PDB file of all heavy atoms in Angstrom:
ATOM      1  N   LEU A 151     -25.704  21.268 -11.293  1.00  0.00           N
ATOM      2  CA  LEU A 151     -25.620  20.128 -10.370  1.00  0.00           C
ATOM      3  C   LEU A 151     -24.485  20.316  -9.393  1.00  0.00           C
ATOM      4  O   LEU A 151     -23.519  21.044  -9.649  1.00  0.00           O
ATOM      5  CB  LEU A 151     -25.480  18.803 -11.132  1.00  0.00           C
ATOM      6  CG  LEU A 151     -24.311  18.568 -12.096  1.00  0.00           C
ATOM      7  CD1 LEU A 151     -23.027  18.240 -11.334  1.00  0.00           C
ATOM      8  CD2 LEU A 151     -24.630  17.434 -13.050  1.00  0.00           C
ATOM      9  N   ALA A 152     -24.615  19.648  -8.254  1.00  0.00           N
ATOM     10  CA  ALA A 152     -23.562  19.624  -7.230  1.00  0.00           C
ATOM     11  C   ALA A 152     -23.415  18.191  -6.760  1.00  0.00           C
ATOM     12  O   ALA A 152     -24.375  17.596  -6.260  1.00  0.00           O
ATOM     13  CB  ALA A 152     -23.913  20.546  -6.072  1.00  0.00           C
ATOM     14  N   PHE A 153     -22.221  17.620  -6.932  1.00  0.00           N
ATOM     15  CA  PHE A 153     -21.951  16.221  -6.599  1.00  0.00           C
ATOM     16  C   PHE A 153     -20.788  16.122  -5.628  1.00  0.00           C
ATOM     17  O   PHE A 153     -19.777  16.817  -5.776  1.00  0.00           O
ATOM     18  CB  PHE A 153     -21.580  15.437  -7.864  1.00  0.00           C
ATOM     19  CG  PHE A 153     -22.727  14.700  -8.501  1.00  0.00           C
ATOM     20  CD1 PHE A 153     -23.841  15.385  -8.967  1.00  0.00           C
ATOM     21  CD2 PHE A 153     -22.687  13.323  -8.646  1.00  0.00           C
ATOM     22  CE1 PHE A 153     -24.891  14.709  -9.567  1.00  0.00           C
ATOM     23  CE2 PHE A 153     -23.733  12.642  -9.239  1.00  0.00           C
ATOM     24  CZ  PHE A 153     -24.843  13.324  -9.696  1.00  0.00           C
ATOM     25  N   ILE A 154     -20.938  15.242  -4.638  1.00  0.00           N
ATOM     26  CA  ILE A 154     -19.822  14.857  -3.778  1.00  0.00           C
ATOM     27  C   ILE A 154     -19.130  13.677  -4.456  1.00  0.00           C
ATOM     28  O   ILE A 154     -19.778  12.657  -4.731  1.00  0.00           O
ATOM     29  CB  ILE A 154     -20.305  14.459  -2.379  1.00  0.00           C
ATOM     30  CG1 ILE A 154     -21.131  15.579  -1.752  1.00  0.00           C
ATOM     31  CG2 ILE A 154     -19.120  14.104  -1.484  1.00  0.00           C
ATOM     32  CD1 ILE A 154     -21.892  15.145  -0.518  1.00  0.00           C
ATOM     33  N   LEU A 155     -17.836  13.799  -4.717  1.00  0.00           N
ATOM     34  CA  LEU A 155     -17.116  12.762  -5.448  1.00  0.00           C
ATOM     35  C   LEU A 155     -15.855  12.360  -4.695  1.00  0.00           C
ATOM     36  O   LEU A 155     -15.297  13.144  -3.925  1.00  0.00           O
ATOM     37  CB  LEU A 155     -16.734  13.266  -6.848  1.00  0.00           C
ATOM     38  CG  LEU A 155     -17.883  13.661  -7.772  1.00  0.00           C
ATOM     39  CD1 LEU A 155     -17.327  14.253  -9.054  1.00  0.00           C
ATOM     40  CD2 LEU A 155     -18.789  12.472  -8.068  1.00  0.00           C
ATOM     41  N   PRO A 156     -15.369  11.149  -4.937  1.00  0.00           N
ATOM     42  CA  PRO A 156     -14.077  10.762  -4.355  1.00  0.00           C
ATOM     43  C   PRO A 156     -12.947  11.491  -5.064  1.00  0.00           C
ATOM     44  O   PRO A 156     -13.136  12.059  -6.155  1.00  0.00           O
ATOM     45  CB  PRO A 156     -14.023   9.255  -4.622  1.00  0.00           C
ATOM     46  CG  PRO A 156     -14.852   9.067  -5.851  1.00  0.00           C
ATOM     47  CD  PRO A 156     -15.975  10.072  -5.746  1.00  0.00           C
ATOM     48  N   ALA A 157     -11.770  11.477  -4.465  1.00  0.00           N
ATOM     49  CA  ALA A 157     -10.622  12.147  -5.071  1.00  0.00           C
ATOM     50  C   ALA A 157     -10.292  11.569  -6.441  1.00  0.00           C
ATOM     51  O   ALA A 157      -9.627  12.219  -7.246  1.00  0.00           O
ATOM     52  CB  ALA A 157      -9.409  12.023  -4.151  1.00  0.00           C
ATOM     53  N   ALA A 158     -10.793  10.370  -6.741  1.00  0.00           N
ATOM     54  CA  ALA A 158     -10.531   9.730  -8.038  1.00  0.00           C
ATOM     55  C   ALA A 158     -11.030  10.573  -9.203  1.00  0.00           C
ATOM     56  O   ALA A 158     -10.558  10.395 -10.331  1.00  0.00           O
ATOM     57  CB  ALA A 158     -11.182   8.345  -8.082  1.00  0.00           C
ATOM     58  N   TRP A 159     -11.979  11.483  -8.955  1.00  0.00           N
ATOM     59  CA  TRP A 159     -12.435  12.361 -10.033  1.00  0.00           C
ATOM     60  C   TRP A 159     -11.245  13.084 -10.672  1.00  0.00           C
ATOM     61  O   TRP A 159     -11.228  13.336 -11.878  1.00  0.00           O
ATOM     62  CB  TRP A 159     -13.425  13.395  -9.494  1.00  0.00           C
ATOM     63  CG  TRP A 159     -13.580  14.577 -10.410  1.00  0.00           C
ATOM     64  CD1 TRP A 159     -13.057  15.829 -10.250  1.00  0.00           C
ATOM     65  CD2 TRP A 159     -14.278  14.607 -11.670  1.00  0.00           C
ATOM     66  NE1 TRP A 159     -13.381  16.639 -11.313  1.00  0.00           N
ATOM     67  CE2 TRP A 159     -14.130  15.908 -12.206  1.00  0.00           C
ATOM     68  CE3 TRP A 159     -15.003  13.664 -12.399  1.00  0.00           C
ATOM     69  CZ2 TRP A 159     -14.690  16.284 -13.429  1.00  0.00           C
ATOM     70  CZ3 TRP A 159     -15.562  14.041 -13.615  1.00  0.00           C
ATOM     71  CH2 TRP A 159     -15.409  15.329 -14.116  1.00  0.00           C
ATOM     72  N   GLU A 160     -10.230  13.384  -9.888  1.00  0.00           N
ATOM     73  CA  GLU A 160      -9.125  14.196 -10.384  1.00  0.00           C
ATOM     74  C   GLU A 160      -8.002  13.398 -11.046  1.00  0.00           C
ATOM     75  O   GLU A 160      -7.089  13.997 -11.604  1.00  0.00           O
ATOM     76  CB  GLU A 160      -8.556  15.031  -9.239  1.00  0.00           C
ATOM     77  CG  GLU A 160      -9.592  15.970  -8.627  1.00  0.00           C
ATOM     78  CD  GLU A 160      -8.974  17.036  -7.763  1.00  0.00           C
ATOM     79  OE1 GLU A 160      -8.564  16.738  -6.638  1.00  0.00           O
ATOM     80  OE2 GLU A 160      -8.904  18.176  -8.260  1.00  0.00           O
ATOM     81  N   TYR A 161      -8.051  12.081 -10.985  1.00  0.00           N
ATOM     82  CA  TYR A 161      -6.950  11.326 -11.591  1.00  0.00           C
ATOM     83  C   TYR A 161      -7.381  10.086 -12.362  1.00  0.00           C
ATOM     84  O   TYR A 161      -6.639   9.597 -13.219  1.00  0.00           O
ATOM     85  CB  TYR A 161      -5.924  10.900 -10.532  1.00  0.00           C
ATOM     86  CG  TYR A 161      -6.440   9.874  -9.561  1.00  0.00           C
ATOM     87  CD1 TYR A 161      -6.510   8.531  -9.912  1.00  0.00           C
ATOM     88  CD2 TYR A 161      -6.878  10.242  -8.299  1.00  0.00           C
ATOM     89  CE1 TYR A 161      -7.012   7.595  -9.027  1.00  0.00           C
ATOM     90  CE2 TYR A 161      -7.364   9.309  -7.409  1.00  0.00           C
ATOM     91  CZ  TYR A 161      -7.431   7.995  -7.781  1.00  0.00           C
ATOM     92  OH  TYR A 161      -7.922   7.062  -6.914  1.00  0.00           O
ATOM     93  N   ALA A 162      -8.551   9.513 -12.073  1.00  0.00           N
ATOM     94  CA  ALA A 162      -8.909   8.220 -12.654  1.00  0.00           C
ATOM     95  C   ALA A 162      -8.945   8.289 -14.183  1.00  0.00           C
ATOM     96  O   ALA A 162      -9.567   9.180 -14.762  1.00  0.00           O
ATOM     97  CB  ALA A 162     -10.272   7.770 -12.118  1.00  0.00           C
ATOM     98  N   ASP A 163      -8.279   7.339 -14.828  1.00  0.00           N
ATOM     99  CA  ASP A 163      -8.249   7.303 -16.284  1.00  0.00           C
ATOM    100  C   ASP A 163      -9.649   7.160 -16.865  1.00  0.00           C
ATOM    101  O   ASP A 163      -9.966   7.758 -17.893  1.00  0.00           O
ATOM    102  CB  ASP A 163      -7.361   6.148 -16.766  1.00  0.00           C
ATOM    103  CG  ASP A 163      -5.887   6.397 -16.494  1.00  0.00           C
ATOM    104  OD1 ASP A 163      -5.520   7.564 -16.272  1.00  0.00           O
ATOM    105  OD2 ASP A 163      -5.113   5.434 -16.494  1.00  0.00           O
ATOM    106  N   TYR A 164     -10.493   6.361 -16.212  1.00  0.00           N
ATOM    107  CA  TYR A 164     -11.819   6.129 -16.777  1.00  0.00           C
ATOM    108  C   TYR A 164     -12.682   7.392 -16.763  1.00  0.00           C
ATOM    109  O   TYR A 164     -13.632   7.512 -17.538  1.00  0.00           O
ATOM    110  CB  TYR A 164     -12.537   4.980 -16.055  1.00  0.00           C
ATOM    111  CG  TYR A 164     -12.771   5.168 -14.563  1.00  0.00           C
ATOM    112  CD1 TYR A 164     -13.761   6.012 -14.086  1.00  0.00           C
ATOM    113  CD2 TYR A 164     -12.003   4.466 -13.634  1.00  0.00           C
ATOM    114  CE1 TYR A 164     -13.985   6.172 -12.730  1.00  0.00           C
ATOM    115  CE2 TYR A 164     -12.222   4.622 -12.271  1.00  0.00           C
ATOM    116  CZ  TYR A 164     -13.215   5.470 -11.821  1.00  0.00           C
ATOM    117  OH  TYR A 164     -13.435   5.618 -10.485  1.00  0.00           O
ATOM    118  N   ALA A 165     -12.356   8.360 -15.893  1.00  0.00           N
ATOM    119  CA  ALA A 165     -13.118   9.604 -15.826  1.00  0.00           C
ATOM    120  C   ALA A 165     -12.549  10.691 -16.731  1.00  0.00           C
ATOM    121  O   ALA A 165     -13.145  11.768 -16.853  1.00  0.00           O
ATOM    122  CB  ALA A 165     -13.172  10.110 -14.384  1.00  0.00           C
ATOM    123  N   ALA A 166     -11.418  10.418 -17.378  1.00  0.00           N
ATOM    124  CA  ALA A 166     -10.759  11.437 -18.194  1.00  0.00           C
ATOM    125  C   ALA A 166     -11.646  12.006 -19.300  1.00  0.00           C
ATOM    126  O   ALA A 166     -11.635  13.221 -19.522  1.00  0.00           O
ATOM    127  CB  ALA A 166      -9.465  10.871 -18.784  1.00  0.00           C
TER     128      ALA A 166
END
Side-chain angles (χ1 to χ4, degrees):
L151 58 78
F153 264 61
I154 305 167
L155 299 175
W159 161 256
E160 300 195 284
Y161 68 79
D163 290 341
Y164 60 76

